[in-house]
Amino acid sequence: MSLSNDQIVEAVAAKSLMEVMELVKAIEEKFGVSAAAPVAAAGPAAAAAPVEEQTEFNVILKATGEKKVEVIKAVRAITGLGLKEAKDLVEATGTIKEAVSKDDAAKMKKDLEAAGATVEVK
C-alpha cells in the first residue's frame, strides 16, 4: 500500500505533538539520520547561530615573483620536497600545504613573501 505525500502530511497533522516527536525519533533510528533541532520562532534569535571558527588553512602560491630560486628554497624548507619537486610546484603555482594551523600558515606565508612570492591563505 503506497501513500501519497498529501496523505502522509494529513496523517502527521492529525497526530499530537508527542506522537509526531516519537515518529521523528523512529525515522531517525530507521534511516540513521538526525533531524534538525526544531525552531521555536524565526527571527533574530534564529539568525544568531554560532559561527564555527576555521582551524585548518591552506597555503596557496599565487605568483613566484622575481626571485624564483629563493621561492624554491622556501618551498623546499616548508614541504621537505626535493629540488625538482619543489621547482615543479613553484612553476605550477597552487597549494603548497593543506590543513595547517593558523600560526603555521602565517609563518609559511611570511617566509614565502620574504622570498618574493605572492601567497594566499584560505
Side-chain angles (χ1 to χ4, degrees):
M1 175 177 180
S2 179
L3 298 173
S4 71
N5 287 346
D6 290 334
Q7 290 171 323
I8 293 171
V9 169
E10 288 301 317
V12 170
K15 293 187 175 291
S16 71
L17 181 59
M18 290 303 293
E19 290 173 322
V20 172
M21 290 173 58
E22 290 172 0
L23 174 63
V24 169
K25 186 174 181 177
I27 291 172
E28 288 175 337
E29 290 174 3
K30 171 77 175 174
F31 297 106
V33 296
S34 177
V39 178
V51 176
E52 192 172 312
E53 187 175 336
Q54 185 177 356
T55 59
E56 293 183 340
F57 297 85
N58 295 338
V59 179
I60 302 165
L61 179 65
K62 290 294 188 179
T64 310
E66 297 292 318
K67 303 176 186 174
K68 185 176 176 182
V69 173
E70 295 300 317
V71 174
I72 293 170
K73 287 179 183 179
V75 168
R76 286 187 70 198
I78 290 169
T79 62
L81 293 173
L83 180 60
K84 181 176 180 350
E85 292 83 6
K87 180 180 178 277
D88 292 344
L89 183 59
V90 167
E91 288 175 350
T93 65
T95 303
I96 301 295
K97 274 288 204 182
E98 294 181 335
V100 295
S101 71
K102 185 176 184 177
D103 293 337
D104 289 343
K107 182 181 181 320
M108 290 175 199
K109 180 178 181 180
K110 183 180 139 214
D111 292 347
L112 287 164
E113 287 178 343
T118 305
V119 181
E120 179 180 0
V121 176
K122 283 190 175 181

